[in-house]
Amino acid sequence: RRTCPRRRAAAASRTMDAGPLDEANVDEDKLLTQHHATLLPPELLSPSPSAKDGVAAADERAQRLWACEVVQEAGILLRLPQVVMCTASNLVHRFYYRKSLKSYDAFVVAMGCFFLACKVEEKPKRIREVLFVFHYVYKARTGRRDATLELGGARYNGWKDALCKVERNILKELGFSFYIIEHAHRFLLFYVKLLEGDATLAQEAWNYLNDSTRTDLSLRKPSQVICCAAVEMAARKLGLPLPSASRGDGCEWTEVFRVRRSDVDEVVAEVLALYKEPKRQWLDALCPGPRITSDEFEAHVVSQQKARAEAEAARKAEALKE
């Protein structure tokens, strides 16, 4: 995509004028530019920031999948269109290719990405709605029916502050750029129509696309490939034949959409592997400090509020003396 000429000139000027002390800023600008792409380059995908911090690949995958499941559940409860959950899951994966799981709690990041995706897709929700639905998900997944989130209480204010802070961090790390997000769902109905499929095939393929958002496929594979893989899996499940050169149809159906068969098979294998994953109700955070769902967090918020009140009282007392 084209960028503003003034921005290109400014970036080039910074690069040319950079000295030894500015090399870190130039590298950061280049890294942020690489993140402004629909598909991330291989050097950003591996190793990930979490892997550099010593997080095992299995643990990182589990946290990512779980965060996207939480996003999907919250979107269903708020009766939002699927595009919101797709965008939120994409943001979760993008953010964790910038920051480590040891720095940001997956539950809080999922909440922040969901809140931001509602705005990006023009389906905004109030902060209290997002907080209450995620608190409900927390209670349902942990079985803590006695946990409460009182409007204006210490826990509520702590959750609200955490949501606002993580939203700012997501915006900063992703460079306030969201036009790069592309979903495979937009191609599905067109592909099914060309293949003369019916509504059942489209619905099954749509379900597979929804499941694929739990992975980072949207950052590694073009949307057309993911869409073809969903159609392939849906046709297999329904027992519907697709055009194939081996059956005398002239060519493979994937060639019509300029998609390589090997890429489709790779995506199919990765999506099918999701169904072998164990069901995870709740995962502990990998980052240090009290989690927003813990009892210690509420005490931490109360102590912070008390400290701020005392500091404000001291400031006012000094002002009166003067």
Side-chain angles (χ1 to χ4, degrees):
R1 293 177 182 265
R2 294 184 178 181
T3 57
C4 176
R6 190 174 298 175
R7 291 184 179 180
R8 291 201 303 268
S13 176
R14 288 197 304 269
T15 304
M16 294 175 61
D17 298 338
L21 297 179
D22 298 327
E23 290 180 357
N25 294 333
V26 173
D27 292 341
E28 179 64 21
D29 289 343
K30 180 181 178 182
L31 182 61
L32 191 58
T33 302
Q34 290 176 325
H35 278 276
H36 288 180
T38 302
L39 303 180
L40 298 184
E43 57 268 22
L44 296 182
L45 296 172
S46 181
S48 65
S50 299
K52 293 178 182 178
D53 274 352
V55 178
D59 293 337
E60 180 179 2
R61 175 179 171 81
Q63 292 277 342
R64 285 172 177 260
L65 295 179
W66 178 77
C68 293
E69 288 177 7
V70 171
V71 163
Q72 186 74 20
E73 191 172 340
I76 292 173
L77 289 171
L78 287 176
R79 298 181 180 181
L80 290 169
Q82 184 61 34
V83 66
V84 174
M85 287 82 90
C86 293
T87 298
S89 298
N90 188 291
L91 294 177
V92 168
H93 291 297
R94 285 184 182 276
F95 181 76
Y96 279 122
Y97 279 120
R98 287 282 293 175
K99 291 297 180 181
S100 170
L101 282 159
K102 285 194 173 182
S103 300
Y104 291 89
D105 181 5
F107 184 76
V108 178
V109 169
M111 186 164 57
C113 290
F114 180 84
F115 184 51
L116 190 56
C118 291
K119 299 178 182 179
V120 172
E121 301 301 339
E122 299 182 355
K123 298 291 181 180
K125 291 294 180 181
R126 292 178 295 179
I127 288 183
R128 68 173 64 178
E129 293 179 278
V130 175
L131 294 179
F132 282 131
V133 76
F134 271 83
H135 188 259
Y136 177 84
V137 171
Y138 157 67
K139 291 196 301 180
R141 284 179 167 262
T142 59
R144 291 196 58 182
R145 301 294 180 178
D146 58 330
T148 59
L149 189 67
E150 183 181 354
L151 185 64
R155 183 182 293 272
Y156 178 89
N157 291 332
W159 280 48
K160 182 179 178 180
D161 290 342
L163 175 57
C164 293
K165 288 179 181 178
V166 77
E167 183 192 22
R168 289 198 299 267
N169 288 327
I170 294 169
L171 287 168
K172 179 178 72 70
E173 293 301 330
L174 300 185
F176 293 81
S177 179
F178 304 104
Y179 65 86
I180 54 177
I181 299 176
E182 183 178 76
H183 302 305
H185 296 67
R186 65 191 292 249
F187 300 104
L188 179 59
L189 296 181
F190 174 65
Y191 284 12
V192 171
K193 184 177 181 180
L194 284 182
L195 294 170
E196 299 181 350
D198 56 8
T200 304
L201 177 64
Q203 183 60 62
E204 287 292 338
W206 186 275
N207 295 339
Y208 281 117
L209 286 180
N210 291 344
D211 291 339
S212 71
T213 60
R214 293 162 55 193
T215 70
D216 62 346
L217 282 170
S218 59
L219 307 184
R220 297 188 287 108
K221 297 293 183 182
S223 298
Q224 296 88 336
V225 176
I226 302 174
C227 186
C228 286
V231 173
E232 174 78 13
M233 290 184 287
R236 289 183 190 177
K237 182 176 180 180
L238 298 174
L240 300 177
L242 294 174
S244 174
S246 60
R247 290 199 302 269
D249 295 322
C251 66
E252 289 288 334
W253 69 276
T254 54
E255 296 179 8
V256 177
F257 305 112
R258 299 181 180 180
V259 171
R260 291 184 299 182
R261 184 71 203 186
S262 58
D263 291 338
V264 173
D265 292 339
E266 184 179 343
V267 173
V268 167
E270 188 158 346
V271 174
L272 292 179
L274 286 174
Y275 306 120
K276 298 179 182 179
E277 292 282 339
K279 180 65 176 179
R280 303 176 180 91
Q281 289 294 332
W282 193 254
L283 291 179
D284 294 331
L286 300 181
C287 58
R291 198 173 198 177
I292 64 172
T293 55
S294 65
D295 296 332
E296 293 80 4
F297 178 77
E298 186 170 0
H300 176 69
V301 172
V302 171
S303 64
Q304 282 188 328
Q305 291 176 341
K306 184 178 179 180
R308 285 197 295 265
E310 292 176 351
E312 181 66 16
R315 186 185 66 79
K316 291 181 178 180
E318 290 293 331
L320 290 174
K321 291 180 180 179
E322 294 178 356

